[in-house]
Amino acid sequence: MGEPGDIGTLLRIMARLRDPHDGCPWDLQQDFSSIAPYTIEEAYEVADAIDRNDLADLKDELGDLLLQVVFHAQMASERGAFAFADVVAAISGKMLRRHPHVFGDARAGDAGEVVANWEQIKQRERADAGDTDGSALAGIARGLPEWQRALKLQKRAARTGFDWPDVAPVLDKLREEIGEVQAEFETAAYSDNHARLEDEIGDLLFVCANLARHAKVDPGSALRRANLKFERRFRAMETLAAARGQAMAALDLEQQEALWQAVKRDEKDAL
């Protein structure tokens, strides 16, 4: 097949797996839609390896993510749409176009100016491609994780001046949205009006994303940290309960809360 570190080897492996005569039955069954969830999953696993600062695992996860690109390119090649080399050419051309301050005569004083130039170039590219959507929100993909899409929508709107001046009114809005959610729960018929409750909770989450933006905190990273914290503490609760000869499911909520507080105290003492 060739040298393991050669991208050509990986391309040949993928082509062999998709060979209609003697390829892999599973790989042959796949299409763009069936592979897309794996592509997203691999991207998150890359982020997880970075969060854990595990560079050995990051190497493996980046390989898995690269395989997703190769897989999609192979399927496109089979349709005569494009090949892997076209993917490389497209991104190389895009990087050259969007960095005129490096590869051209343009100047950028700081990272903020680079981002502003980048967005202007993207707008021109969309116009050249025949995109007639002139909205400030144009080009924000609907396939993004919704928290990420919320952040992009807010950032784009903010460029037009549609934004709170500081965090204080965002906190006021957050309290307002919490009140509206609470009001829905206090409505006797809230269980029969799921759509309304979903709408109010959606507004609350949207404001939470806005709060994170004003705090210059990535909401996805923040939620990952919260998830990891919860998982760490819950597992510690299970260990503590087992050491006492108890099962978590056999404890009432008050007993479980006592374990939670004990775990939190242990964490503070360990600092």
Side-chain angles (χ1 to χ4, degrees):
M1 279 287 181
E3 293 295 325
D6 179 10
I7 187 64
T9 300
L10 180 57
L11 294 173
R12 287 188 289 274
I13 290 172
M14 191 71 252
R16 179 71 171 78
L17 291 171
R18 290 280 296 181
D19 188 289
H21 301 295
D22 54 3
C24 171
W26 185 89
D27 289 275
L28 287 166
Q29 284 183 350
Q30 307 311 309
D31 57 24
F32 294 116
S33 295
S34 67
I35 290 299
Y38 295 103
T39 307
I40 295 169
E41 179 181 341
E42 295 300 349
Y44 275 111
E45 291 185 0
V46 166
D48 178 60
I50 293 170
D51 280 346
R52 292 183 283 104
N53 195 30
D54 189 337
L55 295 184
D57 194 35
L58 178 60
K59 176 193 66 178
D60 290 340
E61 297 299 347
L62 286 171
D64 291 343
L65 185 57
L66 176 60
L67 176 64
Q68 298 300 305
V69 178
V70 169
F71 206 140
H72 286 289
Q74 174 63 32
M75 292 187 290
S77 178
E78 292 164 5
R79 295 189 183 188
F82 59 82
F84 181 79
D86 300 311
V87 175
V88 175
I91 188 57
S92 296
K94 183 182 294 184
M95 296 306 286
L96 290 171
R97 288 194 310 274
R98 294 186 181 179
H99 291 83
H101 55 289
V102 176
F103 303 107
D105 298 327
R107 294 290 178 266
D110 55 29
E113 195 172 342
V114 170
V115 172
N117 292 341
W118 181 283
E119 290 299 332
Q120 290 176 359
I121 294 168
K122 285 174 64 177
Q123 289 177 0
R124 289 199 297 270
E125 288 174 351
R126 287 195 296 268
D128 292 343
D131 188 346
T132 58
D133 187 350
S135 171
L137 306 180
I140 298 177
R142 293 182 181 273
L144 290 170
E146 293 302 333
W147 64 264
Q148 189 174 357
R149 190 160 188 270
L151 210 60
K152 283 184 174 288
L153 289 167
Q154 293 164 4
K155 286 180 178 179
R156 290 283 190 87
R159 290 186 193 136
T160 71
F162 189 68
D163 194 13
W164 281 299
D166 53 52
V167 73
V170 185
L171 289 169
D172 289 340
K173 186 64 176 177
L174 183 62
R175 284 187 281 268
E176 176 188 329
E177 294 298 346
I178 291 173
E180 292 181 4
V181 170
Q182 184 176 354
E184 283 299 318
F185 274 111
E186 290 173 352
T187 301
Y190 82 85
S191 59
D192 298 323
N193 194 11
H194 183 267
R196 177 65 183 169
L197 190 58
E198 182 179 62
D199 188 56
E200 294 296 349
I201 291 175
D203 290 345
L204 176 61
L205 294 173
F206 191 82
V207 176
C208 285
N210 212 336
L211 179 63
R213 180 175 64 87
H214 276 266
K216 294 181 172 54
V217 169
D218 178 75
S221 296
L223 187 55
R224 275 197 300 273
R225 287 169 66 96
N227 287 340
L228 288 170
K229 185 192 300 181
F230 177 83
E231 181 179 9
R232 182 182 70 246
R233 289 178 177 176
F234 188 84
R235 287 179 179 274
M237 288 168 64
E238 290 177 316
T239 300
L240 188 55
R244 298 175 180 177
Q246 301 169 319
M248 279 287 291
L251 302 177
D252 60 29
L253 185 57
E254 184 177 350
Q255 292 170 312
Q256 291 178 341
E257 176 63 21
L259 286 177
W260 178 267
Q261 294 301 327
V263 168
K264 286 178 64 177
R265 286 193 300 272
D266 289 343
E267 285 187 351
K268 289 182 180 179
D269 292 342
L271 293 178

